[in-house]
Amino acid sequence: MKVRDKLVELLLLSSVVLASFVCSSAAECQKLIKLKLVDTTITLAEPVAAGTFTPPNSAPIMPGPVSFKDLPAFCRVVAVAKPTSDSEIKFEVWLPETNWNGRFEGTGNGGWWGVIIYSALAEGLSRGFAVANTDTGHTSGVMDASWALGHPEKVVDFAYRAVHEMTVQGKAIVAAYYGKDPSYSYWNGCSSGGKQGLKEAQKFPDDYNGMVAGAPANYWTHLTAATVWDGLLPLKTPQSRIPADKFPMIHKAAIEACDSIDGIKDGLIDDPRKCHFDPKALQCKDADGTDCLTSAQVETAEKLYGPATTESGTKFFPGLEPGSELVWGFLIGGPEPSRIGSDYYTYIIHKDPHWNPRNMDFDKEVSAADKFDHGTINAIDPDLSKFKARGGKLIMYHGWADALIASENSINYYDSVVKAMGGEKKTTDFLRLFMVPGMGHCFGGEGPDVFDALGAVEQWVEKNKAPDSIVASHSTAGKVDRTRPLCVYPDVPKYNGTGSTDDAANFSCKAPD
């Protein structure tokens, strides 16, 4: 009886301690509503029980491995920063109630989105981070920049100030809740989030110890112009448009022409720059058909593969790579060029909602945009010496089959850093680029597209273990059916000659032929 009584006593005591801890944690969370921050007001500080968070109906839900129902208990802090009279930067910080890993993670946005990306918060929280995300200072959809008209300070917020304010104030919230500063801070973003990361490294090198910047939209003035340029290609004549049902046919031909360049036939083009696929091979011999391209459609495809070029012949953005065809519809599928590109010129350069992108003079307007932006949204500064000097580490990645942001844009930025920082060895000491065969924009595609770049940069920062490769996986119907190493650019994965070509263990990273 005495043993049983003692066990009951211990269980009751444990319940009391647990209840006391939960109450204390909830109280500490609610106290944050009174926290004084510079130009920032906390509007909500509430404890959220495990598995009970439901995002607002208006919030975009991005693909990811985490279900909101699987989240641990956390303290949810909602805040708004107003560093200027026209700023209203909303952000959220989620703080694990237990098992905090001691680190802070800032997460990125996409396109022109003026929303909180709750899936990014959920993924960071599930890994034990105190994690933050911002609406970048406005409310809008992913392709809508109409909010910028007449609001130059909001443009600056979108460009960099929102992320910096979120970071500085987010760390202060972390310190107030846990009673200590985070031991390390990490950035994780893709697309506009990749651009945000590069901007942080360039402009605020003390904000983060390590950064992951995927498919960065960093050359904003040229990228948006190239999106208009691409979108105008099928509008040249009624015959220039390529119907969406022909994209798979073009893709199949590109893969068949270039798949074996790396020595194995696996349905992937490891380095599309070595591929010399000519869409003229698909030109119809007689009348137009579903299995061929008209001469006008061939011209459209050729120009998509080639660089965006001004009327005078100046190349201002790389072309798409063979292998990207399945998602060409984003650029050339509409009756007009995609607003994600044209809105920059409509609302920020021309400041005229009635401006017609069909009248765009690329010779004049691309250079005018560069001068106007003057490094505000663009994040192309190759001098990362201050970030490197304070021990910062940066991983970039880009899918070779990306049809939203041409993959060679990342290579161009990487090469500019190599030149500015004194060579490849000095650059790879703190920056490494990983090109991902068969992956689309940030995720998806026929190649391995799931990999832990954040974990790799953590190891690099905290244990000085630089990533020589990162294993990526591809799944079908929820089951992993292929793994492959991602290599530090310019190295590529080479098959060792034995074993399954779907197993990363049978590949080594080597210099390209």
Side-chain angles (χ1 to χ4, degrees):
M1 290 290 293
K2 290 183 178 180
V3 173
R4 190 183 69 178
D5 291 346
K6 190 64 175 177
L7 285 173
V8 171
E9 181 182 341
L10 288 172
L11 286 171
L12 289 172
L13 180 61
S14 297
S15 299
V16 170
V17 171
L18 178 61
S20 174
F21 174 80
V22 171
C23 290
S24 174
S25 178
E28 289 301 312
C29 178
Q30 291 164 340
K31 280 167 54 177
L32 291 174
I33 197 75
K34 299 180 180 179
L35 183 63
K36 302 298 182 184
L37 298 168
V38 178
D39 298 324
T40 300
T41 302
I42 294 177
T43 59
L44 178 70
E46 64 174 6
V48 179
T52 63
F53 179 77
T54 301
N57 291 333
S58 59
I61 305 301
M62 303 294 289
V66 179
S67 165
F68 291 105
K69 293 182 180 180
D70 296 330
L71 291 180
F74 65 98
C75 173
R76 179 190 179 200
V77 179
V78 180
V80 58
K82 297 183 177 182
T84 77
S85 61
D86 196 30
S87 294
E88 189 173 7
I89 301 165
K90 297 173 184 176
F91 65 94
E92 293 198 21
V93 181
W94 289 9
L95 307 152
E97 188 176 280
T98 59
N99 300 320
W100 177 44
N101 64 15
R103 302 167 179 86
F104 174 80
E105 181 189 5
T107 56
N109 219 285
W112 294 104
W113 250 336
V115 292
I116 301 293
I117 308 296
Y118 287 99
S119 50
L121 289 165
E123 186 169 352
L125 183 75
S126 71
R127 295 178 64 139
F129 286 93
V131 59
N133 190 267
T134 175
D135 70 351
T136 69
H138 65 275
T139 300
S140 79
V142 69
M143 294 194 285
D144 178 12
S146 60
W147 53 268
L149 189 64
H151 295 282
E153 291 298 338
K154 289 188 182 297
V155 174
V156 176
D157 291 338
F158 169 79
Y160 59 82
R161 190 159 50 204
V163 167
H164 180 59
E165 289 291 328
M166 175 201 77
T167 301
V168 172
Q169 310 304 342
K171 289 181 186 179
I173 292 169
V174 170
Y177 182 68
Y178 295 111
K180 61 180 180 179
D181 293 327
S183 54
Y184 297 96
S185 296
Y186 294 96
W187 175 263
N188 191 10
C190 190
S191 194
S192 281
K195 173 193 74 69
Q196 291 165 335
L198 294 185
K199 187 62 126 180
E200 278 284 300
Q202 295 161 13
K203 194 172 183 66
F204 304 105
D206 293 331
D207 277 2
Y208 291 94
N209 303 98
M211 315 190 81
V212 176
N218 63 310
Y219 212 156
W220 197 264
T221 54
H222 287 212
L223 168 62
T224 51
T227 302
V228 176
W229 190 87
D230 289 332
L232 292 176
L233 293 177
L235 305 180
K236 294 177 69 175
T237 69
Q239 294 76 32
S240 298
R241 179 179 173 272
I242 303 176
D245 59 7
K246 289 191 178 186
F247 296 161
M249 177 266 296
I250 305 171
H251 179 71
K252 180 182 178 182
I255 296 295
E256 288 178 350
C258 304
D259 182 6
S260 300
I261 291 175
D262 59 352
I264 57 174
K265 196 166 178 118
D266 57 358
L268 300 178
I269 305 175
D270 274 12
D271 186 347
R273 295 173 302 173
K274 295 181 179 179
C275 175
H276 302 296
F277 169 62
D278 187 350
K280 282 184 179 177
L282 299 175
Q283 187 163 327
C284 301
K285 294 179 174 55
D286 298 306
D288 187 11
T290 58
D291 59 349
C292 64
L293 299 174
T294 67
S295 58
Q297 291 168 352
V298 166
E299 182 180 353
T300 297
E302 288 175 332
K303 288 187 178 297
L304 279 174
Y305 289 130
T309 308
T310 68
E311 290 82 352
S312 66
T314 301
K315 299 173 183 177
F316 62 89
F317 204 72
L320 304 181
E321 303 291 348
S324 65
E325 301 80 11
L326 294 178
V327 279
W328 277 4
F330 179 83
L331 293 175
I332 63 170
E336 298 293 336
S338 172
R339 281 188 61 186
I340 202 167
S342 63
D343 266 28
Y344 175 74
Y345 285 85
T346 299
Y347 295 106
I348 296 179
I349 299 301
H350 289 279
K351 301 179 176 61
D352 178 5
H354 304 293
W355 176 75
N356 188 343
R358 292 192 182 217
N359 300 325
M360 187 161 177
D361 183 330
F362 292 92
D363 273 306
K364 293 180 179 179
E365 300 198 44
V366 175
S367 59
D370 287 340
K371 292 176 183 177
F372 175 85
D373 183 81
H374 196 58
T376 302
I377 303 180
N378 277 349
I380 58 175
D381 185 355
D383 183 1
L384 300 179
S385 54
K386 291 182 180 179
F387 180 72
K388 178 182 180 180
R390 58 97 50 163
K393 307 298 183 186
L394 170 60
I395 287 178
M396 291 175 60
Y397 67 86
H398 207 133
W400 272 122
D402 193 336
L404 277 66
I405 301 176
S407 49
E408 285 197 61
N409 177 65
S410 284
I411 294 174
N412 290 345
Y413 178 69
Y414 173 81
D415 287 344
S416 73
V417 176
V418 169
K419 184 177 180 180
M421 299 299 293
E424 196 155 66
K425 176 61 176 70
K426 292 182 179 180
T427 299
T428 55
D429 283 346
F430 76 98
L431 163 61
R432 298 193 174 193
L433 169 63
F434 295 84
M435 301 302 293
V436 189
M439 187 177 81
H441 186 60
C442 297
F443 57 86
E446 298 163 309
D449 66 325
V450 176
F451 48 93
D452 189 8
L454 181 59
V457 84
E458 283 184 75
Q459 291 289 308
W460 198 3
V461 167
E462 298 176 29
K463 298 183 179 180
N464 200 30
K465 187 178 179 181
D468 293 323
S469 65
I470 301 174
V471 174
S473 65
H474 178 273
S475 297
T476 301
K479 183 179 179 180
V480 174
D481 52 17
R482 172 175 288 173
T483 59
R484 188 67 58 88
L486 307 180
C487 302
V488 179
Y489 180 83
D491 285 358
V492 294
K494 293 287 185 71
Y495 179 52
N496 296 333
T498 59
S500 172
T501 57
D502 290 330
D503 187 345
N506 300 321
F507 288 79
S508 300
C509 290
K510 297 180 180 179
D513 295 331

